Amino acid sequence: MGPYQTDEFGELPIERAAEFAAVPDSFQRLWTPHRMVYIQDGQQPEKHACPFCLAPSMDDEKALIVARGTHCYALLNLYPYNSGHLLVCPYRHVATYDEATAEEVAEMGSLTQTAMRVLSEVAHCDGFNIGMNQGRIAGAGIAEHLHQHIVPRWALDSNFFPIIAKTKALPQLLGEVRADIARAWPKPERHQAGV
Ligand SMILES: [Zn+2]
């Protein structure tokens, strides 16, 4: 028997929200329990299997990389909150911001600035959320390898249905979005193959 007892009609009981301790706010919530696979114990990759360590060894197109710097690089998030959601990572497998070198911190900053300019030009977004989740407890999906999120925002983009629509269309959109951003990225920071 499962953990939940059905009622006489075979339905799961509905528990009243008012019976739980909580502070209501103005946010609507889309529950995504399937994402727990990324944050459960034992799911953190070893360095040899770390996606942010492996990506730079792959083609830009396959790894969704939009720009490569000297110490850090920028790629599209495979699990975007919004279309054009970029991540900036150091090449080194370090977990937290205070472990990054001064050069890595400086280039994370400059790549983040360039990402904002490029996304403003390409995607005409109205704003950004920028930040780092440090540690699994803070929501980092890949907690062992430092990465900064750059999420473009548009007015009303948190409406439920556009999120669902984008989710359906993502496999095609990611490649197109990557190409648009990489094309608009200033050339001095773009990786020159074989140089
Ligand atoms: Zn890594």
Side-chain angles (χ1 to χ4, degrees):
M1 184 178 289
Y4 302 106
Q5 197 79 42
T6 55
D7 63 17
E8 60 195 298
F9 306 107
E11 302 287 336
L12 288 170
I14 294 175
E15 298 173 299
R16 285 161 42 81
E19 293 172 1
F20 292 87
V23 180
D25 59 28
S26 61
F27 292 100
Q28 294 185 56
R29 286 177 171 81
L30 175 63
W31 298 101
T32 54
H34 54 281
R35 292 182 66 114
M36 282 301 291
V37 71
Y38 303 115
I39 60 174
Q40 286 168 344
D41 283 346
Q43 294 293 327
Q44 289 300 310
E46 298 295 324
K47 184 179 177 185
H48 70 272
C50 171
F52 297 140
C53 285
L54 292 175
S57 68
M58 298 160 63
D59 292 344
D60 286 359
E61 289 77 12
K62 190 166 185 189
L64 299 173
I65 290 173
V66 298
R68 299 180 190 238
T70 306
H71 308 285
C72 303
Y73 70 101
L75 75 168
L76 272 185
N77 190 354
L78 191 57
Y79 304 99
Y81 300 149
N82 248 345
S83 189
H85 180 169
L86 289 172
L87 304 172
V88 173
C89 317
Y91 293 115
R92 284 196 314 134
H93 187 79
V94 291
T96 60
Y97 192 52
D98 58 346
E99 291 178 72
T101 64
E103 292 79 12
E104 287 166 339
V105 167
E107 196 165 56
M108 283 185 83
S110 66
L111 287 171
T112 299
Q113 287 185 316
T114 305
M116 291 176 68
R117 295 180 190 124
V118 170
L119 286 168
S120 295
E121 178 191 328
V122 170
H124 306 290
C125 49
D126 304 312
F128 296 92
N129 289 114
I130 292 172
M132 293 176 248
N133 301 323
Q134 299 285 274
R136 268 180 282 173
I137 191 77
I142 306 292
E144 304 304 318
H145 195 132
L146 180 63
H147 54 280
Q148 168 135 279
H149 294 261
I150 300 133
V151 184
R153 300 299 307 269
W154 294 265
L156 305 176
D157 64 6
S158 57
N159 177 284
F160 183 86
F161 288 106
I163 290 171
I164 295 298
K166 281 175 188 163
T167 299
K168 283 183 176 176
L170 275 173
Q172 288 174 321
L173 281 179
L174 278 175
E176 294 167 16
V177 171
R178 191 215 70 82
D180 286 347
I181 294 172
R183 199 178 303 120
W185 203 275
K187 285 192 168 52
E189 285 187 14
R190 195 182 292 174
H191 173 65
Q192 302 293 315
V195 175

